[in-house]
Amino acid sequence: MEWLFFAAQLATLLIALAVVHRPLGDYIAHTYTSPKHLRVERGFYRMIGVDGSSEQSWPAYLRSVLVFSLLGILTVYALQRLQEILPYSLGFPGASEHLAFNTAISFVTNTNWQSYSPDLTFGYTVQLVGLAVQNFLSAAVGIAVAVALIRGLAARKSGTIGNFWVDLTRGIVRILLPLSVVAAVLLLAGGVVQNLAGFQEVTTLAGGTQNLPGGPVASQEAIKLLGTNGGGFFNANSAHPFENPTAWTSLLQIFLFLVLPFSLPAAFGRMVGDLRQGYAVVATMGVLFIASVVTMTAFELQGAGTAPELAGGAMEGKEVRFGIPGSTLYAASTTLTSTGSVNSMHDSYTAGGGGTALVNMMLGETAPGGVGSGLYGMLVLAIIAVFVAGLMVGRTPEYLGKKIGPREIKLVSLYILATPVLVLLGTALSFAIPAVRADVEGTSIWNPGLHGFSEVLYAFTSAANNNGSAFAGLTANTPWFNTALGVAMLLGRFLPIVFVLALAGSFAAQDKLPVTAGTLPTHRPQFVGLHLGAVLIVSALTYFPVLALGPLAEGLS
C-alpha cells in the first residue's frame, strides 16, 4: 500500500514537471534573450547607473557578482546585529558575531543553513528585509551565472557573456516575483499562515494556554521553495503545520523547488539552438532523480528492527500526515537540489536513507541541482564526459562546437575539486584539531560514534554544496561550526562561480566548429549514459572512503 501511495505521488510530480518543462523553459530563454527592457527595469538601471544595452567580459561579470554578494553579506550581517533597535523585532536581541557571520553568508550563498531556531531568534524585519530579500537575490544570481555559461557556449568569437545587472534584474522581475506570487496564493489556500501577529496566547481544547507563533510565512515560503533556498520560518521547517499543513501542500512544495531546475535545461536547449541538447541534460537529471527517490524510499520502508517492522517502516522523525513516501520524496528532492528544506528529520533516517541524502549532495546537487547552479554543474560534467570520450577515440573533444583544450579542462578540474576539498578538509579539521575535537565531541555531537561522524560530515557536505539541510543531532551554533561552515558556504558558492564564468569567457572567445563525421553527438541516449557515468564516477571516487567511515560503517554495524 505504501509503495502504491509513493508511486502515485511520484507519477503526479513527474507529470506536472513534464507539463511545465517546455513552456517555462521557453519563457526563461525568452527572458534572457529579449532585446526589450521593461519600464521598471530601465528605471532600476538608471538608478544604479548601468547601461542595460552594454555587455560585460567575464572578469567584469565576475566582479559584479562578487561585489553585489559582498554588499548582501554586509547588509544581512548588520540587520542581525542591530535587530534589537529595529521595528518588529518581537523583543529579540541582536545575533552574536559568529552567528550573524554564518547566517549572512548562508542566505547570500543560497544555502540557508540555520544554526538557530528562526521563530525564536529573528523578528519580522530581519526575516523580511534581510533573509527573504536574499532568497530572491541569491536565486537570481544562480540563474544569471548559468545563463552566462550558456551564452559562452552559444557565442561566436565574442569577448562578452552578457550583463550581470540586466540578468539579475530580469531574473527577479520576470521570473521569481511572478511565480512567487502564484505560489504564495496557493500556499495560503492550503492553510499556510500569513500575518504580522507575533505570538498569540490561545486556549487549548484541554483548557490550558499555549503561545502560538505567527508571521509572514506564506510569502517567505514561496521564494524559499522556488529559489531552492530552504531556510524555514519555523525551527521545524516544512514539518511545522503552519508552514506545511497537509499532504497536498507538501507535494506542492516539492513541485515548487523542482520546477525551475528541471525547466532550465529547456531554456539551455532553446538558447543554444538545439532543443535536443536540453532534453539530454534533463534526461540525465531525471534518471538520477528517480533512482535516488526510489533508493531512499526502499531503505526507509524496509528499516530493520522491531519498531520499524511493527510501524510498517522507519517512522522515527517523520510526520504521520506525510508518511514515509511523502517524507522520502521530499528528503530526496531537497538534497538533490540546493533547497535544504525538510519535512522530516534526516538525522532519524536509517543509515541507508541518511547515506542516500549525503550522496545526493555529494553529486554536486546536479539532479536537478539548485536554481542555476544545477544546470551549470551538469554542463561542467557534460564537458568531462565529452573530454573522456574524446580521449577514448583519439579526437580533440568538442562540446556544442567548442573545443575543450587545456585551459577549459583545467577550469573544469578546479570546479570538480573545489567542493570535495572543502567537505573533507572541514570534516577532518573538526576531528584533527585537539581543542576543536574536544569541543565538538563534548558539546555539539549528541550521538557519539559512527553516527556522530556522519553528522559532522553531513554538515560540511551541506554547507559546501550550498544545500542547508542538516543531521540536526549536531549542535552547530558554536564559534567553530558557525565560522568553519560559513567559510565552507562562501567558498563552496563562489569558487565554482569563478571557474564557470572563466569557462564561459573561454568558450565565448572561440568560433563554432562545424559538425563532422567525427563529432560526438551529445543529444543521444549513449551520451546520456556517458554523462551519468561521469556524474557517478567523479563523486564515488572522491567520497567513497569517507562514506565508508560514516553511513556505510553504521549500516553494517
Side-chain angles (χ1 to χ4, degrees), residues 11-25:
T12 301
L13 180 64
L14 293 177
I15 291 170
L17 291 170
V19 167
V20 301
H21 167 76
R22 177 71 179 277
L24 183 55

Side-chain angles (χ1 to χ4, degrees), residues 389-431:
L391 291 179
M392 289 191 294
V393 299
R395 293 187 62 88
T396 301
E398 304 167 12
Y399 186 55
L400 301 181
K402 299 300 179 79
K403 283 187 177 181
I404 303 171
R407 172 181 169 81
E408 290 76 25
I409 205 62
K410 287 175 184 176
L411 291 170
V412 168
S413 299
L414 289 170
Y415 179 99
I416 295 297
L417 291 172
T419 303
V421 167
L422 294 171
V423 173
L424 300 177
L425 185 61
T427 304
L429 290 176
S430 297
F431 292 103

Side-chain angles (χ1 to χ4, degrees), residues 135-191:
N135 284 348
F136 282 96
L137 299 181
S138 64
V141 169
I143 300 175
V145 173
V147 168
L149 179 57
I150 297 172
R151 288 199 189 103
L153 289 166
R156 292 176 178 270
K157 289 188 175 181
S158 170
T160 60
I161 56 173
N163 186 310
F164 169 72
W165 304 105
V166 172
D167 293 340
L168 176 77
T169 306
R170 289 188 176 190
I172 295 171
V173 173
R174 302 192 191 187
I175 299 173
L176 295 174
L177 270 173
L179 291 178
S180 293
V181 171
V182 175
V185 171
L186 292 174
L187 292 170
L188 278 168

Side-chain angles (χ1 to χ4, degrees), residues 348-372:
S348 297
Y349 275 42
T350 63
T356 303
L358 258 172
V359 171
N360 287 346
M361 294 184 292
M362 289 171 175
L363 294 176
E365 301 193 67
T366 52
V371 171

Side-chain angles (χ1 to χ4, degrees), residues 122-136:
F122 293 133
Y124 297 153
T125 300
V126 173
Q127 291 269 25
L128 289 173
V129 179
L131 309 187
V133 167
Q134 286 303 321
N135 284 348
F136 282 96

Side-chain angles (χ1 to χ4, degrees), residues 135-289:
N135 284 348
F136 282 96
L137 299 181
S138 64
V141 169
I143 300 175
V145 173
V147 168
L149 179 57
I150 297 172
R151 288 199 189 103
L153 289 166
R156 292 176 178 270
K157 289 188 175 181
S158 170
T160 60
I161 56 173
N163 186 310
F164 169 72
W165 304 105
V166 172
D167 293 340
L168 176 77
T169 306
R170 289 188 176 190
I172 295 171
V173 173
R174 302 192 191 187
I175 299 173
L176 295 174
L177 270 173
L179 291 178
S180 293
V181 171
V182 175
V185 171
L186 292 174
L187 292 170
L188 278 168
V192 178
V193 302
Q194 178 78 12
N195 57 54
L196 296 174
F199 288 86
Q200 298 291 311
E201 187 175 282
V202 298
T203 302
T204 66
L205 294 176
T209 60
Q210 184 177 355
N211 278 329
L212 295 181
V217 182
S219 58
Q220 187 162 324
E221 191 75 6
I223 187 57
K224 150 194 161 178
L225 300 165
L226 281 166
T228 61
N229 295 284
F233 194 92
F234 301 108
N235 191 40
N237 210 285
S238 286
H240 198 292
F242 288 177
E243 197 164 330
N244 189 11
T246 64
W248 79 262
T249 59
S250 188
L251 190 61
L252 171 63
Q253 291 192 9
I254 298 171
F255 171 79
L256 290 175
F257 58 69
L258 289 174
V259 64
L260 283 173
F262 266 124
S263 298
L264 277 166
F268 160 67
R270 177 67 68 186
M271 292 177 70
V272 298
D274 187 352
L275 291 174
R276 299 173 301 174
Q277 301 294 335
Y279 293 143
V281 171
V282 82
T284 307
M285 290 177 170
V287 170
L288 290 168
F289 174 79

Side-chain angles (χ1 to χ4, degrees), residues 532-552:
L532 284 168
V535 174
L536 296 173
I537 292 171
V538 167
S539 301
L541 292 178
T542 305
Y543 290 109
F544 183 79
V546 74
L547 287 170
L549 296 174
L552 291 177

Side-chain angles (χ1 to χ4, degrees), residues 249-342:
T249 59
S250 188
L251 190 61
L252 171 63
Q253 291 192 9
I254 298 171
F255 171 79
L256 290 175
F257 58 69
L258 289 174
V259 64
L260 283 173
F262 266 124
S263 298
L264 277 166
F268 160 67
R270 177 67 68 186
M271 292 177 70
V272 298
D274 187 352
L275 291 174
R276 299 173 301 174
Q277 301 294 335
Y279 293 143
V281 171
V282 82
T284 307
M285 290 177 170
V287 170
L288 290 168
F289 174 79
I290 294 171
S292 172
V293 172
V294 172
T295 300
M296 184 180 287
T297 304
F299 277 126
E300 296 307 298
L301 285 176
Q302 297 173 10
T306 304
E309 290 176 3
L310 291 174
M315 277 297 295
E316 181 184 344
K318 300 177 180 68
E319 283 290 320
V320 175
R321 67 182 187 275
F322 305 139
I324 289 177
S327 300
T328 54
L329 182 58
Y330 201 110
S333 301
T334 197
T335 50
L336 283 166
T337 63
S338 66
T339 309
S341 175
V342 297

